[in-house]
Amino acid sequence: MATETLDLGQIPDYWTRQHLLSLEELSAREITLILDKAVLFRQTMAKGPKRIPLLTGRTCVTLFFENSTRTRTSFTLAARRLGADTIDFSAATSSLAKGETFIDTAKNIEAMGVDVVIVRHRTPGAPKLLAQNLACGVINAGDGAHEHPTQGLLDIMTIRQRLGRIEGLTVALVGDIAHSRTARSNIWGLQKLGAHVIVCGPSTLVSTRWRELGVEISYSLDAILPRVDVLNLLRIQFERQTTRPFPSVREYAHLYAMDRQRLAKTKPEILILAPGPINRGVEVTPDVADGPHSAILEQVTNGVAVRMAVLYLLAGSKGLEEGGGED
Ligand code: CP
């Protein structure tokens, strides 16, 4: 892999964060800063895989207590492309099985000289708990149904890339809103940047309490199709449901699957997103998922750039330099 120099400019004074725990806590300009840096990384990576040695000597660990394909792999790639060392922690084969606690496990890993812990956990707030107990940087890679900030960032980056702006757009999040950390991160991020957000799905998956976050609620995908600029199709998270929130998968697909007939009712430039993994034929039909309006794989590509930007900004922050490893 070739080595590339990249002029990222100065990290502005207003960026002082050591952790990325949520988009709720970020300001609009902090979100925009991450997106702007991610664009620079994406442009550099588009010329071919390059190593940009900004984190040489740093160590990042992925501490995943839930399955992942995209997030874990892209964090690892992002860290390696920045020249950092990476470790993948496997909960299944760890000493957690012998009764070691979550915090003790993390503290022991940190004691080996780790600078950034990237954590995914089924419990909302688990990354915050680590941030309160570790001196190194902590990145939330998804905590229960709370937030998935880098997913929100890569979704917003993809919208900005395709449509040129966020302000003034109408973005619908469709599907399993109740269990979606991606929905929460999108809502916070998109609204801070001036988008109008609709959450849409069956009433069993879209509580009226979502209005408290400032979003519009709809139970009819067909009713909102003509006025949305972006549809972000959220996976039905069967594994988190204790009771089935609709009578049958076929009925859900009949009412909410994005298919060719529904596509015909949208604006001509409609953008289709899905955080993945997708249930083909449930939230979206294969022809739409793989069609020209879909940016599903662009989201994945942007995920690497967003995670490079987040790692770069956190590693460049004063807090991590004080608490983390040596150069
Ligand atoms: N979108 C997302 O978080 O995918 P993974 O679960 O595969 O990481």
Side-chain angles (χ1 to χ4, degrees):
M1 195 184 286
T3 299
E4 175 94 354
T5 52
L6 171 63
D7 183 10
L8 289 157
Q10 295 286 315
I11 295 177
D13 289 344
Y14 61 77
W15 180 269
T16 57
R17 296 195 179 270
Q18 182 187 358
H19 312 293
L20 177 63
L21 303 178
S22 69
L23 292 195
E24 179 180 4
E25 69 185 3
L26 295 193
S27 65
R29 69 178 179 172
E30 286 174 312
I31 292 171
T32 303
L33 176 70
I34 299 171
L35 298 178
D36 289 346
K37 299 294 182 207
V39 169
L40 294 175
F41 284 118
R42 187 188 67 213
Q43 288 168 345
T44 305
M45 289 300 140
K47 296 177 210 155
K50 303 275 188 323
R51 198 176 290 279
I52 305 169
L54 295 165
L55 297 188
T56 304
R58 302 298 174 96
T59 303
C60 304
V61 60
T62 53
L63 198 64
F64 276 46
F65 295 84
E66 284 187 343
N67 293 345
S68 170
T69 297
R70 283 145 287 268
T71 312
R72 186 174 196 150
T73 307
S74 60
F75 263 118
T76 302
L77 267 176
R80 287 186 187 167
R81 286 180 180 172
L82 290 170
D85 295 323
T86 59
I87 305 166
D88 276 337
F89 167 83
S90 169
T93 56
S94 75
S95 289
L96 283 160
K98 301 174 196 167
E100 192 166 37
T101 67
F102 172 60
I103 291 175
D104 278 340
T105 300
K107 280 187 168 178
N108 276 268
I109 288 172
E110 182 189 33
M112 297 177 206
V114 165
D115 300 290
V116 183
V117 169
I118 301 149
V119 60
R120 170 172 287 190
H121 202 283
R122 66 183 172 281
T123 306
K128 186 170 185 179
L129 189 64
L130 283 194
Q132 289 165 342
N133 282 277
L134 303 182
C136 69
V138 176
I139 299 175
N140 179 3
D143 58 335
H146 173 227
E147 278 223 36
H148 190 352
T150 54
Q151 181 69 48
L153 289 165
L154 73 89
D155 291 349
I156 295 168
M157 179 179 178
T158 308
I159 297 170
R160 211 177 68 157
Q161 181 182 338
R162 279 280 191 117
L163 302 183
R165 65 194 167 99
I166 300 298
E167 189 162 10
L169 294 179
T170 297
V171 180
L173 306 168
V174 182
D176 190 348
I177 308 297
H179 301 95
S180 180
R181 50 202 180 204
T182 294
R184 280 178 182 76
S185 290
N186 267 268
I187 288 168
W188 288 116
L190 287 165
Q191 292 193 143
K192 282 170 198 249
L193 298 186
H196 175 67
V197 179
I198 305 172
V199 292
C200 177
S203 58
T204 46
L205 291 173
V206 186
S207 158
T208 53
R209 295 205 61 180
W210 285 89
R211 283 202 186 95
E212 293 167 19
L213 298 187
V215 300
E216 178 185 339
I217 290 177
S218 172
Y219 301 116
S220 168
L221 178 57
D222 289 315
I224 62 170
L225 283 178
R227 64 188 175 94
V228 297
D229 300 291
V230 182
L231 286 161
N232 196 342
L233 307 172
L234 306 179
R235 184 174 66 89
I236 301 299
Q237 300 191 38
F238 294 108
E239 75 279 12
R240 294 192 203 273
Q241 296 165 1
T242 46
T243 55
R244 185 62 63 82
F246 35 78
S248 70
V249 172
R250 187 189 288 188
E251 184 176 44
Y252 177 84
H254 176 66
L255 293 171
Y256 295 104
M258 197 58 204
D259 58 18
R260 204 178 311 167
Q261 288 71 35
R262 291 201 162 100
L263 201 57
K265 298 181 193 167
T266 65
K267 293 182 181 179
E269 67 281 10
I270 185 77
L271 180 62
I272 307 285
L273 303 180
I278 56 174
N279 298 312
R280 285 177 182 262
V282 180
E283 301 101 23
V284 58
T285 54
D287 54 342
V288 174
D290 302 329
H293 294 279
S294 166
I296 293 173
L297 291 179
E298 279 169 56
Q299 289 172 266
V300 179
T301 303
N302 286 339
V304 179
V306 156
R307 287 160 183 138
M308 289 176 82
V310 167
L311 288 168
Y312 162 71
L313 287 168
L314 294 182
S317 76
K318 190 169 177 293
L320 182 57
E321 281 172 4
E322 282 173 354
E326 298 162 358
D327 280 321

